[in-house]
Amino acid sequence: MEYVMLNNGIKMPLEGFGVFQVPDLSQCEKAVSEAIESGYRLIDTAAAYMNEEAVGKAIKNCGVRRSDLFITTKLWVQDASYDGAKKAFETSLEKLGLEYLDLYLLHQPMGDYFGAYRAMEELYKEGLIRAIGVCNFYPHILTDFCETVEVIPAVNQVELHPFFQQPDGLSSMKEYGIVPEAWGPFAEGKHGIFTNPVLSSIGDKYGKTAAQVALRWNVQRGVVVIPKSVHKNRMEQNIDIWDFTLSEEDMAEISKLDIGHSDIVNHFDPNFVKMVHGIKIHE
């Protein structure tokens, strides 16, 4: 495993395990346990995933020292306010069964996210969170945010994969010393990513799959990846990306796959924003 240094001096694994869309608690607990057995040390969840308790059980029983794990969760839009963030953080910490978080993220730039982030800054200064960051902050939003807040986010988790490469977003993050983290590194299976001829052809040269090439491409760009699977053999394949390096020619070929927009979600659609605000994770 390789690591990236965050802007506050904290080391973060370049690859982790995500649990989005694994709401079944027993399945989630088993998946996280198997991921840790397979060598993953970064686990990424969120309040809105409704599986923090399962993640917490897996952590408790995994046999790995807490200090060797890097645990991330996220603040949902419903709680995006100063007071809401303080309460939501305590709830997440309790569900996870932890005394501190390694990384706490704003899940969306919606609601009173400035107020929420002020609460996160306080929790960070109190030592309850080792690093704070954001998700889905496009360049114009991220720039305004960084020019306003006191603590520059350590991480911005956004959609990043060969078909949506976001070079402008990466440039904006680099300007502020923010580490990019990819959700959906497999494009949620779209564009035939697992059998894509370009990725497959490159993989053949190294004895790797198209999926492994997609992950390796991102980490070579300095992007943290958090692939998800509930199958242990795929977990093991996904973490087996540290024994080869893509050439400049490989990287250039993959860069041609970019379509320049998301086929998964449109954050600029007012109806999407309304839908997000309508998702309630508690009373």
Side-chain angles (χ1 to χ4, degrees):
M1 178 60 64
E2 295 178 9
Y3 293 78
V4 63
M5 189 73 74
L6 301 183
N7 57 20
N8 65 351
I10 299 297
K11 281 201 317 180
M12 179 179 183
L14 263 169
E15 184 172 14
F17 184 74
V19 296
F20 176 53
Q21 294 177 330
V22 190
D24 182 278
L25 298 186
S26 60
Q27 183 184 46
C28 182
E29 182 182 350
K30 180 174 183 288
V32 173
S33 296
E34 291 181 342
I36 294 173
E37 288 174 10
S38 300
Y40 294 87
R41 293 297 178 261
L42 187 167
I43 307 297
D44 178 276
T45 185
Y49 298 170
M50 307 301 285
N51 56 20
E52 288 174 315
E53 290 167 307
V55 172
K57 287 181 180 178
I59 292 168
K60 181 180 179 181
N61 299 319
C62 72
V64 175
R65 290 184 306 177
R66 171 67 184 93
S67 59
D68 291 334
L69 298 172
F70 193 99
I71 310 301
T72 304
T73 194
K74 310 177 190 76
L75 176 77
W76 186 238
V77 175
Q78 182 182 2
D79 298 311
S81 66
Y82 178 87
D83 291 333
K86 286 291 184 82
K87 185 175 180 180
F89 172 78
E90 289 298 330
T91 299
S92 287
L93 211 59
E94 182 179 346
K95 286 183 175 181
L96 288 162
L98 301 177
E99 295 182 354
Y100 68 93
L101 284 176
D102 296 282
L103 180 63
Y104 196 40
L105 303 174
L106 288 172
H107 207 147
Q108 297 282 356
M110 300 179 194
D112 180 15
Y113 58 91
F114 279 102
Y117 197 77
R118 283 196 298 273
M120 291 165 59
E121 287 176 326
E122 291 181 6
L123 293 165
Y124 168 68
K125 291 174 183 177
E126 291 169 15
L128 293 169
I129 311 170
R130 297 178 70 220
I132 54 178
V134 298
C135 302
N136 302 304
F137 276 46
Y138 284 85
H140 64 296
I141 297 175
L142 185 67
T143 299
D144 176 58
F145 194 75
C146 290
E147 295 294 332
T148 305
V149 299
E150 181 180 349
V151 178
I152 298 296
V155 171
N156 184 17
Q157 186 180 122
V158 297
E159 181 185 350
L160 289 166
H161 50 74
F163 306 102
F164 189 34
Q165 301 182 12
Q166 297 216 55
D168 291 342
L170 294 185
S171 178
S172 179
M173 292 180 228
K174 184 177 181 180
E175 178 182 351
Y176 289 101
I178 299 169
V179 169
E181 183 176 19
W183 65 255
F186 295 142
E188 295 192 352
K190 295 180 183 294
H191 302 281
I193 189 169
F194 299 116
T195 56
N196 178 269
V198 172
L199 300 176
S200 296
S201 177
I202 292 172
D204 288 343
K205 295 194 298 182
Y206 304 100
K208 298 294 181 179
T209 66
Q212 289 169 319
V213 169
L215 293 175
R216 182 69 202 181
W217 166 80
N218 246 333
V219 298
Q220 284 187 209
R221 301 197 305 158
V223 176
V224 176
V225 291
I226 45 171
K228 177 206 75 176
S229 178
V230 294
H231 305 287
K232 191 173 184 182
N233 65 321
R234 290 181 185 167
M235 295 177 196
E236 292 169 346
Q237 285 181 358
N238 290 341
I239 204 172
D240 185 23
I241 62 170
W242 304 104
D243 59 352
F244 76 109
T245 302
L246 298 174
S247 68
E248 290 184 11
E249 291 76 16
D250 297 331
M251 298 292 284
E253 281 301 304
I254 296 171
S255 71
K256 298 175 185 176
L257 298 176
D258 191 11
I259 65 172
H261 63 83
S262 174
D263 273 348
I264 297 174
V265 61
N266 181 4
H267 285 92
F268 302 96
D269 181 359
N271 290 323
F272 172 76
V273 176
K274 291 177 183 178
M275 182 272 291
V276 168
H277 274 279
I279 296 175
K280 307 299 182 186
I281 63 173
H282 57 77
E283 293 183 359

